[in-house]
């Protein structure tokens, strides 16, 4: 540990690094920032180099369960346990939008990706998605400067009623596909154990990849057509896409509840109850 941020009496539920525009090097004295969501519904921005909190907002009435920056770092998107999604400005500290479309179900994923204005026939410089634990995914097109936020697609995935033998349902997870534009990948509790590739242009599932169990974590490589998928039986799978033999690894002591590729795609970070592993992906 090289730095320690200020301690809060509330528990931190999620965090995200502020993105830096591609090809832009930090200026002398410029600090990196992280944003964190807390159990009391607050969102806090921290300076990493100064190890201090710079901004505290309270956009949620319930615990914050997911958080991310917009691709340009000018907005903070946060999701609550009650299903609300807030868009806030770290410059002004004000919340400019609160969306209640997923209300009643905890938000599990928020992700942003850049796009062109003419994509999908809607105006907006950015696409973003939100996923809730009731297996619903909404996709939005936004133009933050023009204060526009338009619903592009709404997905709802079926599942069996009253599952037996499951203490808690696997999470609903979705991510934009870096190597196939206009496509998102979804995993979650459903009729089958599988990963679904959905086309935002065709409004349909393009293909499915069978899985050995319901996924507990998901990450898509930004550098190569690979998925990393974690499972509840300590298994980590590297899955080539669209086809190919998967590679399975069993280095964890418990459920693999987190996996994330580095921006270069050469490393993969995974975590279970008491272990954090960093993988070198020379073959990818």
């Amino acid at each position: 540990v090289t730095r320690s941020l200020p301690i809060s009496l509330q528990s931190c539920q999620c965090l995200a690094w502020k993105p830096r525009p591609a090809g832009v090097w930090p200026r002398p004295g410029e600090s990196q920032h992280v944003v964190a969501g807390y159990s009391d519904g607050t969102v806090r921005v921290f300076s990493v180099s100064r190890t201090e909190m710079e901004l505290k907002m309270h956009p949620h009435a319930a615990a914050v369960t997911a958080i991310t920056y917009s691709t340009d770092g000018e907005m903070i998107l946060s999701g609550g346990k009650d299903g609300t999604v807030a868009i806030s400005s770290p410059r002004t500290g004000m919340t400019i939008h609160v969306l209640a479309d997923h209300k009643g179900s905890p938000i599990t994923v928020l992700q942003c990706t850049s796009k062109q204005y003419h994509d999908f026939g809607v105006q907006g410089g950015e696409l973003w998605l939100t996923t809730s634990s009731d297996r619903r995914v909404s996709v939005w097109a936004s133009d933050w400067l023009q204060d526009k936020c338009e619903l592009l697609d709404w997905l709802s995935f079926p599942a069996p009623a009253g599952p037996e033998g499951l203490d808690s349902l696997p999470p609903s997870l979705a991510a934009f596909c870096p190597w196939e534009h206009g496509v998102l990948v979804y995993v979650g509790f459903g009729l089958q154990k599988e990963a679904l590739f959905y086309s935002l242009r065709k409004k349909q599932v393009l293909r499915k990849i069978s899985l050995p169990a319901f996924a507990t974590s998901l990450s898509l490589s930004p550098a190569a057509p690979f998925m990393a998928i974690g499972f509840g039986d300590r298994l980590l799978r590297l899955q080539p896409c669209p086809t190919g033999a998967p590679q399975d690894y069993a280095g964890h002591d418990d459920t693999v509840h987190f996996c994330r590729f580095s921006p270069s795609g050469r490393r993969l970070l995974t975590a279970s109850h008491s272990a954090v592993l960093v993988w070198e992906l020379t073959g990818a």
Side-chain angles (χ1 to χ4, degrees):
V1 177
T2 58
R3 293 183 177 89
S4 178
L5 295 176
I7 295 176
S8 170
L9 296 178
Q10 300 295 327
S11 61
C12 180
Q13 307 287 299
C14 49
L15 59 84
W17 287 91
K18 181 178 181 179
R20 181 174 286 120
V24 177
W25 292 92
R27 296 185 296 271
E30 182 182 9
S31 174
Q32 280 193 294
H33 291 84
V34 294
V35 62
Y38 283 79
S39 57
D40 62 350
T42 60
V43 169
R44 313 180 194 196
V45 178
F46 296 91
S47 165
V48 176
S49 63
R50 292 192 292 271
T51 63
E52 64 181 19
M53 184 174 68
E54 293 188 346
L55 178 65
K56 178 180 177 181
M57 301 175 285
H58 202 157
H60 296 277
V64 181
T65 54
I67 200 162
T68 191
Y69 275 96
S70 60
T71 54
D72 60 6
E74 293 299 315
M75 291 293 169
I76 294 171
L77 288 75
S78 55
K81 189 176 182 179
D82 59 359
T84 59
V85 175
I87 295 95
S88 307
S89 169
R91 291 184 180 273
T92 65
M94 297 181 62
T95 298
I96 60 175
H97 286 294
V98 176
L99 305 174
D101 299 73
H102 289 263
K103 192 171 183 179
S105 185
I107 302 300
T108 54
V109 176
L110 284 166
Q111 186 191 11
C112 299
T113 185
S114 58
K115 65 175 288 288
Q116 301 298 318
Y117 279 83
H118 61 271
D119 286 354
F120 307 105
V122 295
Q123 288 190 344
E126 183 168 273
L127 283 183
W128 60 276
L129 64 79
T130 182
T131 308
S132 50
S133 60
D134 57 358
R135 302 173 303 282
R136 293 184 295 168
V137 181
S138 60
V139 183
W140 304 77
S142 294
D143 185 340
W144 308 120
L145 295 178
Q146 298 296 323
D147 196 25
K148 292 182 179 179
C149 190
E150 180 178 351
L151 180 65
L152 180 65
D153 209 338
W154 181 268
L155 314 177
S156 184
F157 296 94
E164 297 181 1
L166 286 176
D167 295 331
S168 60
L169 293 180
S172 301
L173 305 171
F176 290 112
C177 187
W179 60 84
E180 194 170 357
H181 294 300
V183 172
L184 63 82
V185 179
Y186 171 84
V187 295
F189 179 70
L191 301 176
Q192 303 292 333
K193 302 177 181 71
E194 57 192 3
L196 304 177
F197 286 73
Y198 178 85
S199 171
L200 294 169
R201 291 188 175 89
K202 296 183 178 181
K203 308 289 185 182
Q204 65 183 33
V205 175
L206 299 177
R207 57 186 174 275
K208 305 175 181 179
I209 294 180
S210 296
L211 302 175
F214 291 116
T216 54
S217 54
L218 171 72
S219 184
L220 278 61
S221 170
F226 272 87
M227 291 193 301
I229 308 171
F231 298 98
D233 56 356
R234 301 176 292 178
L235 180 70
L236 173 70
R237 168 167 288 190
L238 286 181
Q239 175 69 58
C241 299
T243 58
Q247 305 169 48
D248 290 338
Y249 303 92
H252 284 278
D253 59 352
D254 204 339
T255 298
V256 184
H257 62 76
F258 178 87
C259 57
R260 183 70 53 83
F261 281 99
S262 66
S264 68
R266 291 187 170 274
R267 289 185 176 88
L268 176 68
L269 178 70
T270 61
S272 58
H273 175 69
S274 59
V276 177
L277 303 180
V278 179
W279 307 76
E280 291 281 352
L281 303 174
T282 55

